[in-house]
Amino acid sequence: AQSVTQPDIHITVSEGASLELRCNYSYGATPYLFWYVQSPGQGLQLLLKYFSGDTLVQGIKGFEAEFKRSQSSFNLRKPSVHWSDAAEYFCAVGSGNTPLVFGKGTRLSVIA
Amino acid sequence: DAGVIQSPRHEVTEMGQEVTLRCKPISGHNSLFWYRQTMMRGLELLIYFNNNVPIDDSGMPEDRFSAKMPNASFSTLKIQPSEPRDSAVYFCASSRTGGRNQPQHFGDGTRLSIL
């Protein structure tokens, strides 16, 4: 069965600094991978998705993620974090005809 | 385009009462998902429907929980009787199909407090 691991429960970065959120997945075939963001009091919003092709995918709000098959990773990055990026971030993997499997999330705090 | 619409946004009720949460998926989406989110357990899939048919309800915690989808544009999640441990944020999501390549679109959730 597929699974997703987000090793970092909470990360704090300074505004303007770069960001990388880690995601590792377990799945036998080529996975479909997603990153979602959840702002306080809101539902999850899709940031980006990887299906195939170019392993570096661009998303909304200046985020990007890179699929690395050899490392079973799909890390999310942003070159310069804004205070409004403070939120919870979820990685998810899709396989077969079953619903997406979500990681437990990483909470991002941004300090001045 | 209207997103997934959930109602109510907040619900506070006493234990033992019946609670009904409602969801209107995005038009044209064939799959609907109910999730529960708590600090302790994170995001849990409770049940999902394809074409209004329940496919997997193994995540429903107890018989007190039930979900229905009478048509393509409406679903309910009911808890009867409610208990304090049911307090959580409940999300509804929809996608074009239930397959692995389809992103899910989430509503803003119902924050449920059982006193």
Side-chain angles (χ1 to χ4, degrees), chain A residues 13-54:
Chain A
V13 300
S14 299
E15 191 170 16
S18 63
L19 170 71
E20 182 167 27
L21 302 182
R22 295 184 292 166
C23 172
N24 293 98
Y25 66 90
S26 173
Y27 181 60
T30 300
Y32 289 60
L33 296 159
F34 307 81
W35 274 100
Y36 286 81
V37 60
Q38 183 182 26
S39 298
Q42 296 186 13
L44 280 69
Q45 180 186 19
L46 181 68
L47 279 177
L48 49 79
K49 58 190 177 186
Y50 170 78
F51 290 168
S52 64
D54 193 346

Side-chain angles (χ1 to χ4, degrees), chain B:
Chain B
D1 289 341
V4 175
I5 299 173
Q6 291 186 246
S7 64
R9 288 298 312 275
H10 303 273
E11 175 91 12
V12 181
T13 191
E14 294 185 346
M15 66 177 293
Q17 298 297 306
E18 177 179 292
V19 173
T20 300
L21 311 181
R22 298 172 176 79
C23 175
K24 177 179 170 55
I26 293 173
S27 178
H29 282 193
N30 298 322
S31 296
L32 182 139
F33 309 82
W34 281 103
Y35 290 89
R36 178 172 67 177
Q37 187 179 41
T38 60
M39 290 289 291
M40 290 293 294
R41 304 171 73 94
L43 194 65
E44 302 174 276
L45 177 64
L46 301 178
I47 185 172
Y48 77 98
F49 297 82
N50 280 349
N51 297 314
N52 312 339
V53 176
I55 302 301
D56 184 355
D57 65 354
S58 60
M60 298 284 262
E62 301 173 34
D63 291 344
R64 298 184 296 105
F65 286 70
S66 63
K68 294 182 180 180
M69 192 165 185
N71 56 62
S73 59
F74 184 65
S75 176
T76 60
L77 178 67
K78 188 172 293 187
I79 308 173
Q80 166 64 18
S82 59
E83 297 183 5
R85 59 195 168 118
D86 302 331
S87 298
V89 182
Y90 291 81
F91 288 103
C92 176
S94 69
S95 67
R96 291 193 181 280
T97 71
R100 60 175 176 159
N101 61 339
Q102 295 299 319
Q104 295 175 14
H105 299 261
F106 284 74
D108 285 336
T110 295
R111 182 172 295 275
L112 177 64
S113 297
I114 307 297
L115 306 177

Side-chain angles (χ1 to χ4, degrees), chain A residues 43-111:
Chain A
L44 280 69
Q45 180 186 19
L46 181 68
L47 279 177
L48 49 79
K49 58 190 177 186
Y50 170 78
F51 290 168
S52 64
D54 193 346
T55 57
L56 184 64
V57 294
Q58 303 296 321
I60 62 172
K61 305 186 181 193
F63 285 91
E64 66 178 27
E66 185 171 13
F67 169 60
K68 292 185 176 180
R69 183 189 301 276
S70 62
Q71 299 178 18
S72 297
S73 69
F74 189 57
N75 294 349
L76 182 71
R77 300 195 295 247
K78 187 169 185 178
S80 177
V81 170
H82 188 261
W83 65 266
S84 60
D85 294 324
E88 186 103 17
Y89 291 81
F90 292 89
C91 182
V93 62
S95 64
N97 280 321
T98 58
L100 301 184
V101 174
F102 287 86
K104 293 194 179 300
T106 297
R107 183 162 61 93
L108 173 66
S109 296
V110 180
I111 58 176

